[in-house]
Amino acid sequence: MDADDARRRESAILDALFTQAPHGLFLCDNELRVVRFNSAAPGVRGIPPEEVLGKTVAELTDGFTGDPVVALAEDALRTGTVVRDRLITGRPLSDPDRDMTVSLSIFRLEGTDGEILGLAVIADDVTEREAALGRLDLLHQARQSIGTSLDAYGTAEELVEVLVPRLADAAAVDLLDDALRGRPLRPGPVPADTPLRRAAFRSVLGRERGPRKGELNTFGAHTPYSQALNDLTPRLITDVDANDAWLGADPERGERIVSAGVHSLVVVPLTLRETVLGVAALYRFERPELFDDADLALSTELVTKTALHLNNACSFARERTVATTLQQGLMPGRPPELTAVDTAYAYLPEGAGGDWYDVIPLSGARAALVVGDVAGHGIESAATMGQLRTALRTLALQDLEPGELLDRLNETAAFLSRTRSPVGHGDEAPLDHLATCVCVVYDPVSRVCAAARAGHPLPLVLGPDGSAMEFDVPEGPPLGAEGTGYASATVTLPESTLLALYTNGLVSTPGRDAGKARARLHQILAQPEESLGRLCDSAIYELMPRRPRDDAVLLLARTRALHADRVTSWTLPRDDSVVATARRLIEHQLQAWDMPDAVFTTELIVSELVTNAIRHGQGPIELRVILDRTLICEVSDASSTSPHMRHATATDEGGRGLFIVMQLSDRWGTRTTGEGKTIWSEQAIQHGAAR
């Protein structure tokens, strides 16, 4: 082959390269001006050659972002460094309305004698490849960032943060009000007028549009939103026009869409196994590209994955709602009005746990104050709380002293711990105890206060002037845990002493020192002239965090003393003749209290109680009568044997005493004392009687 043929062949090969190569080729001179390019070059297809030849690299890449192409080209020309697969994104000359991603490789051209001839640039349109990688990256980001908590609002926020700005210019999530409230949902379509709440919104403009977070709203009938909720099928709407009929069906929302310049949108129902949780909407108005089928598929996949996390959050809300409802149903109502103490409480079931309180009227005008905290959260903890509270109230009404009461309650707690179902604990570590509790019993006649506690915070005791008083109640083990028994501590309190019983949720929160919080609680409560209700509010305002993770209970009680003219007692010998004496003493006392209508019944009750003590008791007999909100009669002796009521037969001459007492009394019972036992009876005071 002669030289001319060789040159023609080389020229043909070079021409074939530039016309048939699947990659874009640009040849640039030493001034970085284009001297030749091929038709496959991205961004210049269909552009007349004269509009490309002679242009510099800087001019061709003007408007593209990414790697600094001019600097890379100059460096490659100067040093011979090879540049491989550098990405730039922008709008090309051939299609200024579309963003394109181009991969560039640059290398220097040299002659056989080492002369620098220019640069060669290989350009590939990798827009689709990068879009696919972007979709995978978006899915990966969603997998990492969506569903990090069991909060429905938080999960919705995580979704819109993933969507904007990478896929949409704005995104909104609206959830069914019933789902957010933890109510059971029915599978199937959702009517257009179903109320939803705005759960999340995000926009590249940074401003809120439409309903505020948590605000109720509905979608107009026959719109993409209502249709998606009706047939559970995603919707892709392109080329939005202000005259579209569906915009008029929801005028307020339609006006916002038109004013924002939305040109396309995607609406995807949030569903799980055909149960509707809400709807997500994606909007584009800043970027020129319309949503397409690939965007619809990606949006649907993201929303579907989010629906699973939202369902978990709604299930958690539903369980919490049930647990809270159960807990509140098992709690006492407003504390009873008592002579012994004036009470107020604050109860915040924020964590749907097992905190509880109780104020229990006891015999002899006494009152029991109880605060407890069941370990864990959820339905099971609420149910356990109800069991413990019922058991404790039953034991308290047996007039057990606080230490013995907790001993008995611990037996119940141990049984519950052994039989407690593991449902609801998930992956949580097994609990080492069932509950903590503190029990305080106050007697307004003697002003003696007795208390015992099972792993619970020490009560605060403030004197009438607001100063702290010492009341060292020994700490026994939590209920259901291994350990020794419970000891009671007693102290005599002046009238108007303030007792504060609380759970850990009030003072022990993450990031706060419990000791300092307890000291602050003392400062808040050290206001003797302030009402108990205001003190409770002040403590909650200052000590509870904005987003509490645990329940909290604060029970306040201000002690009273029963006036001496409301209590009378006599010591009588164990002799049958004292029954008539006891009747006369009671008659004189009731006449002094201006209660003549109660004389006959009370005489019968006292006669039977004194007779029982004479026949079955030991030592001298003490008769005490108390005028409280009820009329209380008590007969004490030195015997610790508790009486048992029996039903006498028709031929028995005796055995009816306690039965008569039961029939004539509103309440009656027996309690042990340090010296023996006391049998007591309570009668309701007739309206208008002396108080």
Side-chain angles (χ1 to χ4, degrees), residues 193 286 462 677 684:
D193 58 351
E286 285 285 306
L462 286 74
K677 69 173 181 298

Side-chain angles (χ1 to χ4, degrees), residues 235-297:
R235 293 294 195 279
L236 171 64
I237 299 92
T238 58
D239 297 324
V240 175
D241 187 274
N243 296 318
D244 289 342
W246 66 268
L247 292 171
D250 194 344
E252 186 176 348
R253 199 181 309 271
E255 191 279 329
R256 291 196 299 267
I257 290 174
V258 172
S259 63
V262 173
H263 55 67
S264 61
L265 67 147
V266 170
V267 180
V268 184
L270 282 152
T271 61
L272 186 69
R273 295 184 291 275
E274 297 188 353
T275 297
V276 181
L277 302 174
V279 64
L282 291 70
Y283 305 91
R284 281 185 179 174
F285 47 83
E286 285 285 306
R287 68 183 76 188
E289 297 86 7
L290 301 177
F291 282 118
D292 55 23
D293 290 333
D295 297 321
L296 177 64

